Amino acid sequence: MTLTWTQLRDLKCGELEGAADGWGRASNRADAGRDRIETQMLNGLRSTQHGEAASAAVGRLRQLSSNLQYVYTECGLLRTTLNSMAHELRTQQRALRDALDDAESLKLTVHVDGSVTYPAAGEALIDGRPLPGGTASADAAPGLLSPSGLVAPNPNAAKAQDIADRVAKAVRTAAEIDWRYARILRRLKAEEGLKVSDAAWTDAAGDAAAVRGAARGYLKDGIPLDASPAERKAWWAALTDEQREEYLAVYPDQIGNLDGIPALVRDAANRDNLQLLMGKLEGRDDAKSETQLAGLREIDRQLREGRQPPMFLLGIGDEGNGRAIVSFGNPDASRNVSAYVPGLNTSLDEEFAKGDLKRAWDTAKGAAKYDHSSAAIVWLGYDAPQTPDGLASLSVMGDERAEEGGKAFNGFMSGLVETNESRDPHLTAIGHSYGSRTVGAATQRDGGIPGVDDIILVGSPGVGVDRAEDLGVGKEHVFVGAAENDVVTKLPSKQQSAVGAAGLIVGGSRIAYAAGDIADQGDDDLWFGKDPASRAFGARRFHVSDGPPLISVDGASLGAHSRYFDPKRDAVSADSIALITAGRSDEIKMEEPR
């Protein structure tokens, strides 16, 4: 059926918006049901019931929660699709009405087919009689050219042609809008059955992408991507509840990763985006997608596990080597907040989801012993260097990744400062391995790391500066942990390495370096500057265990590099980190610098 201008004129966009409101209410009910399951029913079951029946009930509730999450997502997409369609059609209605109003004021007649009749006007050059009227249509331009140079055109002809063209354009654009949204609405349908499958989430990821593309002018252009965290916080606060719901439904990837948005909102957005990401990667068979999917599934498993302190997903994405920011404890409601930056070879995979998340979890639990108002974050918001094929070379450890990561880390920390409910929260930046170089880079940007009071460096190959006081928090607030057997804390300087690198390869380890000789004990220059554990650097060195030797009867091991956060394998180090992050650094056990 061909759309006419009278149909466009009489279209009731409010009915589309009314239907959108209905889908919005359905989406909100599904979200409320899911929230009740996750925060009340599951927590109650896990804490009071045990055994096979309880486990079966938990499994069914989790499935119901997943189903409701799917309903929430799809209904939210339907709402935004209808609202976006109404928004675009209303724009064309206004263009049409403006053209009709102009026709009426000029006493021109617009016909059903869109042609415009204009009256006689002007006068002929020879006899002075009025020039005859005529009809203009969008596919022709009659009356604009005179049959000879002796006759001027009717002055109404051009006006009528403009009206005809504007009417035709509005109708043509509206028809394209209708066709485009009809395709999207046809695909927004769910599979039959009581279980939402992986394939359904893959389809939902495609649905979300289609709606995002269609709603670009309606929603996305309003997201303040280039604004400061403070400006983003103000933007979010100024939105209506309905606008927030639509942004969360259609752009969970944008809202969930936007520094300055409150933690509870980011967590809700990222939990939805996590499902869409897993659905998106389910449909791929390349190695990177499979690796990231395993990491996402493990994060999803932990989110559903009901850990304490509770988990907040503050960032998730598949760009580069993957992104994941997880907090144990609400960082907005905590007085003490730490953010740990992992290092070399870290990427979004199952090992990160198990190992690096556990480090933050251990830190959160340790800090909570000293101050219950504590949260600990693991921040994988950058592409850490990766060693090719498991063989490490110092050449991969340049400064570029640290500089890029430092900029992103500062943006994240600035967002924490804006959203934290305390007037003056105690913030700690923690860098492990190459992550310490990233933290060091962050301190050298204008203003240093926003809000940070203390800095912890563990397993560091150097931070890019030669003195603790250059990190911007005062040298008495820079803390260093360096295990005696941690080879990474003794990497040779670039000059040493260039002269005598022999090649040290430790196979099967997450962090393997072809480091050449270990730095001279008498030389405190490391790969990225002074050894942070050295007397010359001037930081406060806390006690850690020596860790297993690099070479033993059991073979080669880099185990000493990965124990700093573990309360079972290095209780003193883990406790020192907890004390510092809880604001009680005066109680840590100190060690002499190198």
Side-chain angles (χ1 to χ4, degrees), residues 350-386:
E350 188 173 10
E351 188 172 350
F352 163 82
K354 290 181 176 179
D356 290 282
L357 263 65
K358 182 180 182 299
R359 291 175 179 175
W361 189 34
D362 285 337
T363 298
K365 289 185 294 182
K369 292 188 302 182
Y370 300 107
D371 188 337
H372 69 278
S373 185
S374 299
I377 299 167
V378 54
W379 184 84
L380 181 59
Y382 79 121
D383 283 330
Q386 306 291 304

Side-chain angles (χ1 to χ4, degrees), residues 61-249:
L61 283 172
R62 282 179 175 168
Q63 182 61 58
L64 179 57
S65 176
S66 178
N67 290 357
L68 288 172
Q69 187 168 26
Y70 178 79
V71 171
Y72 161 80
T73 298
E74 290 290 296
C75 289
L77 293 176
L78 275 163
R79 172 178 55 185
T80 300
T81 300
L82 291 170
N83 275 335
S84 182
M85 182 180 183
H87 171 78
E88 291 193 38
L89 287 173
R90 186 173 276 117
T91 299
Q92 299 311 313
Q93 271 190 326
R94 284 196 296 267
L96 172 65
R97 286 169 181 161
D98 288 345
L100 295 176
D101 289 345
D102 288 347
E104 183 177 3
S105 67
L106 293 169
K107 301 188 184 309
L108 306 179
T109 302
V110 182
H111 299 283
V112 175
D113 64 356
S115 61
V116 180
T117 298
Y118 56 92
E123 58 183 34
L125 295 177
I126 297 176
D127 56 14
R129 294 180 179 179
L131 295 170
T135 300
S137 60
D139 55 359
L144 294 182
L145 297 176
S146 60
S148 73
L150 300 177
V151 180
N154 186 322
N156 285 326
K159 298 173 183 178
Q161 188 62 55
D162 176 64
I163 299 294
D165 289 341
R166 288 160 61 192
V167 168
K169 181 180 180 182
V171 172
R172 185 169 57 250
T173 304
E176 184 275 329
I177 291 168
D178 178 66
W179 175 83
R180 176 158 44 89
Y181 280 97
R183 291 183 62 196
I184 295 172
L185 289 168
R186 278 194 292 268
R187 69 176 291 169
L188 288 174
K189 57 183 180 181
E191 297 179 358
E192 294 183 2
L194 298 177
K195 181 178 179 180
V196 178
S197 64
D198 291 341
W201 278 112
T202 299
D203 185 61
D207 293 344
V211 175
R212 286 177 192 139
R216 182 174 297 274
Y218 172 61
L219 285 179
K220 186 178 181 182
D221 291 346
I223 301 176
L225 298 176
D226 296 326
S228 69
E231 291 167 332
R232 292 167 180 167
K233 179 185 177 184
W235 167 77
W236 184 258
L239 295 177
T240 65
D241 287 343
E242 182 177 354
Q243 287 172 322
R244 291 175 186 170
E245 289 164 4
E246 288 202 74
Y247 276 115
L248 286 171

Side-chain angles (χ1 to χ4, degrees), residues 243-421:
Q243 287 172 322
R244 291 175 186 170
E245 289 164 4
E246 288 202 74
Y247 276 115
L248 286 171
V250 181
Y251 292 105
D253 57 328
Q254 299 281 348
I255 303 304
N257 290 284
L258 206 59
D259 298 326
I261 301 298
L264 287 172
V265 176
R266 291 181 70 162
D267 178 62
N270 284 314
R271 286 177 186 247
D272 293 331
N273 190 40
L274 176 63
Q275 302 303 317
L276 294 174
L277 274 175
M278 288 193 294
K280 171 184 166 183
L281 298 180
E282 282 281 359
R284 300 177 178 178
D285 58 3
D286 59 285
K288 176 184 174 183
S289 296
E290 292 175 355
T291 297
Q292 291 188 346
L293 182 58
L296 293 173
R297 283 175 173 163
E298 174 58 23
I299 292 173
D300 183 55
R301 185 193 69 78
Q302 292 183 35
L303 285 169
R304 296 176 184 277
E305 198 174 53
R307 290 190 169 189
Q308 294 298 323
M311 288 176 68
F312 292 82
L313 190 56
L314 304 181
I316 200 73
D318 63 343
E319 62 267 33
N321 295 327
R323 302 286 186 267
I325 307 171
V326 178
S327 179
F328 291 92
N330 185 343
D332 290 353
S334 300
R335 287 189 299 270
N336 304 296
V337 183
S338 65
Y340 146 60
V341 183
L344 186 69
N345 276 346
T346 308
S347 63
L348 180 55
D349 56 18
E350 188 173 10
E351 188 172 350
F352 163 82
K354 290 181 176 179
D356 290 282
L357 263 65
K358 182 180 182 299
R359 291 175 179 175
W361 189 34
D362 285 337
T363 298
K365 289 185 294 182
K369 292 188 302 182
Y370 300 107
D371 188 337
H372 69 278
S373 185
S374 299
I377 299 167
V378 54
W379 184 84
L380 181 59
Y382 79 121
D383 283 330
Q386 306 291 304
T387 55
D389 303 320
L391 274 187
S393 165
L394 291 179
S395 63
V396 304
M397 290 209 304
D399 295 295
E400 183 179 355
R401 300 290 181 91
E403 297 294 339
E404 293 174 356
K407 178 181 178 181
F409 185 63
N410 277 9
F412 174 74
M413 296 303 288
S414 179
L416 287 185
V417 172
E418 291 297 331
T419 58
N420 191 278
E421 298 164 5

